[in-house]
Amino acid sequence: MRVPSLDLKPQLEQLGAEIKKSVNDVIDSTRYILGPVLEGFEKSMAEYVGVRHAVGASSGTDALLLALMALDVGPGDVVVTSPYSFFATAGCVARLGATPAFVDIDPDSYNLDPELLRDWFESDRERSARVKAIIPVHLFGQCAEMEPILALAERYGVAVIEDAAQAIGATYPASGQAAAQAGTMGDLGCFSFFPSKNLGAWGDGGMMVTQDEAVADRLARLRLHGGARQYHHDEVGTNSRLDTLQAAVLLAKLPFLADWSAARRRNAARYAEGLAGVAGVTVPATDPANEHTFHQYVIRAERRDALQAHLRAREVGTAVYYPLGLHLQPCFADLGYRPGSLPHTETATREALALPIYPELSAAQQDWVITSIRDFYA
């Protein structure tokens, strides 16, 4: 049985006609840049995640870049983040002339380990004084442990930018408070609408969210070359608007996101049950108090590469997120990290394997994936 790692066709069959009408309405309006459709999506996203302001950007990468720019991150600054993430998380820091500093992950959640983060800050006060921001990554759809991270940020007077590119709709419990959505707990949150995301566009797209009106206004200027009025520039920004056609696609899809997330959680529960007791496989650890959205379902697998080859032979698609930690990327060689520097990340790069988890995955397809894994380890 063929089981692709991701199949977008069922979603297209479900919503294609409606989305195409929304796109055609934009085409007919001739309002292709900014305009009421984008404003409508920004308002809907702000309401969905529970913030006052949402500002669209051309990609998730640019959302991170603009968020850093809005906090005046630049040469001489340090930004602390996870080494186990998509390259943009650290690449945007380096693009602004700042220095990314990596703290190892919690091996169960794959997210930034708050205890190791505290140790990092306490081990070198001079270095800590240069930190401008922390970027926790809500990897694979589960929020990082934000409460201690936010407490550390407040203690040291640094900003928090949440990389929520993979975690739209995920929630985290704050002590004595209602659960908060990913992207809404720090100073800024950043989302990606790359087609493979839980809420995916028909191209690139991103979003920044914040409760701070002044920050939102600055983000809106920065994405328009730093000016609120045409041909008048208060600062040097960039051209990074969320395309209005993509906003129309996303606005049509947004009402279905909660159901898609629920389907992903059901698929995750079926995997957890079907793979229970398989020696050599560790299913994802999830905090029952969190609402995980399972952008990816990532197992730990002994002989990972051999298992992946076995599944490929059975026409089961898988993916490795991520094969090399950011701290060991050649472009960051001058930062001084070496193999063994961040052992939890390096172990994850050797063991992690993402299984198909998209909402439309059938029970028969999932059973085939589970049977194939069990056969390998048998």
Side-chain angles (χ1 to χ4, degrees):
M1 179 181 293
R2 181 177 177 272
V3 187
S5 60
L6 175 65
D7 189 355
L8 296 177
K9 288 183 179 179
Q11 193 179 99
L12 180 62
E13 292 170 358
Q14 176 190 8
L15 297 176
E18 181 179 344
I19 295 174
K20 288 173 184 177
K21 182 183 182 304
S22 298
V23 169
N24 284 331
D25 287 345
V26 173
I27 293 171
D28 291 342
S29 76
T30 71
R31 296 291 301 273
Y32 308 137
I33 303 295
L34 301 178
V37 172
L38 175 58
E39 292 169 5
F41 177 58
E42 289 173 331
K43 180 181 178 182
S44 295
M45 265 293 292
E47 291 174 351
Y48 183 85
V49 301
V51 295
R52 295 187 182 91
H53 307 284
V55 181
S58 62
S59 67
T61 297
D62 270 11
L64 287 165
L65 183 67
L66 290 165
L68 290 162
M69 292 171 68
L71 296 177
D72 296 312
V73 171
D77 293 329
V78 172
V79 176
V80 187
T81 191
S82 167
Y84 194 60
S85 178
F86 181 64
F87 180 75
T89 308
C92 291
V93 175
R95 278 186 61 187
L96 294 175
T99 301
F102 300 111
V103 172
D104 212 353
I105 60 171
D106 170 73
D108 293 328
S109 71
Y110 303 104
N111 286 325
L112 195 62
D113 187 317
E115 292 187 8
L116 295 177
L117 182 64
R118 180 201 62 206
D119 294 345
W120 186 94
F121 270 93
E122 293 179 351
S123 65
D124 189 330
R125 294 303 176 95
E126 184 177 346
R127 177 185 61 184
S128 300
R130 295 170 51 214
V131 175
K132 196 71 169 281
I134 303 169
I135 304 180
V137 182
H138 304 314
L139 201 66
F140 303 145
Q142 180 165 224
C143 287
E145 200 172 341
M146 288 299 294
E147 192 171 2
I149 292 173
L150 292 169
L152 266 173
E154 183 176 6
R155 176 181 173 186
Y156 286 93
V158 302
V160 174
I161 300 172
E162 295 174 67
D163 184 341
Q166 300 183 8
I168 186 169
T171 61
Y172 174 83
S175 291
Q177 302 176 15
Q181 288 221 25
T184 69
M185 293 168 275
D187 298 272
L188 288 137
C190 298
F191 295 93
S192 168
F193 304 121
F194 188 77
S196 65
K197 295 296 191 287
N198 292 24
L199 181 65
W202 285 0
D204 265 321
M207 182 74 73
M208 303 147 292
V209 299
T210 181
Q211 302 285 14
D212 191 315
E213 183 175 3
V215 171
D217 289 344
R218 190 174 183 197
L219 289 168
R221 291 195 305 271
L222 285 168
R223 71 174 179 182
L224 289 172
H225 290 294
R229 292 188 297 152
Q230 192 173 26
Y231 307 130
H232 293 77
H233 306 278
D234 304 305
E235 59 184 314
V236 177
T238 186
N239 179 15
S240 183
R241 300 165 296 217
L242 176 58
D243 188 89
T244 306
L245 291 171
Q246 299 301 338
V249 173
L250 293 162
L251 192 56
K253 284 187 170 189
L254 184 58
F256 299 89
L257 179 58
D259 287 342
W260 292 336
S261 296
R264 288 174 179 272
R265 286 191 289 273
R266 287 195 297 271
N267 290 342
R270 188 181 293 127
Y271 273 136
E273 181 180 358
L275 296 174
V278 178
V281 172
T282 303
V283 299
T286 59
D287 184 339
N290 288 352
E291 182 113 303
H292 200 316
T293 57
F294 289 100
H295 172 60
Q296 302 292 346
Y297 188 87
V298 179
I299 62 171
R300 296 275 194 147
E302 294 179 8
R303 296 182 288 136
R304 189 268 313 276
D305 295 345
L307 172 62
Q308 186 176 35
H310 167 78
L311 292 173
R312 188 183 303 118
R314 293 195 174 195
E315 297 190 277
V316 173
T318 59
V320 173
Y321 302 105
Y322 295 92
L324 185 65
L326 295 180
H327 65 298
L328 298 179
Q329 295 290 343
C331 62
F332 293 137
D334 61 335
L335 297 179
Y337 296 94
R338 298 289 182 268
S341 297
L342 301 174
H344 295 314
T345 292
E346 291 164 40
T347 299
T349 63
R350 295 189 296 268
E351 295 180 349
L353 187 67
L355 306 179
I357 190 67
Y358 50 92
E360 300 81 10
L361 188 70
S362 72
Q365 287 176 310
Q366 208 168 1
D367 287 343
W368 178 241
V369 177
I370 292 167
T371 296
S372 297
I373 293 172
R374 283 186 167 276
D375 288 348
F376 176 82
Y377 286 105

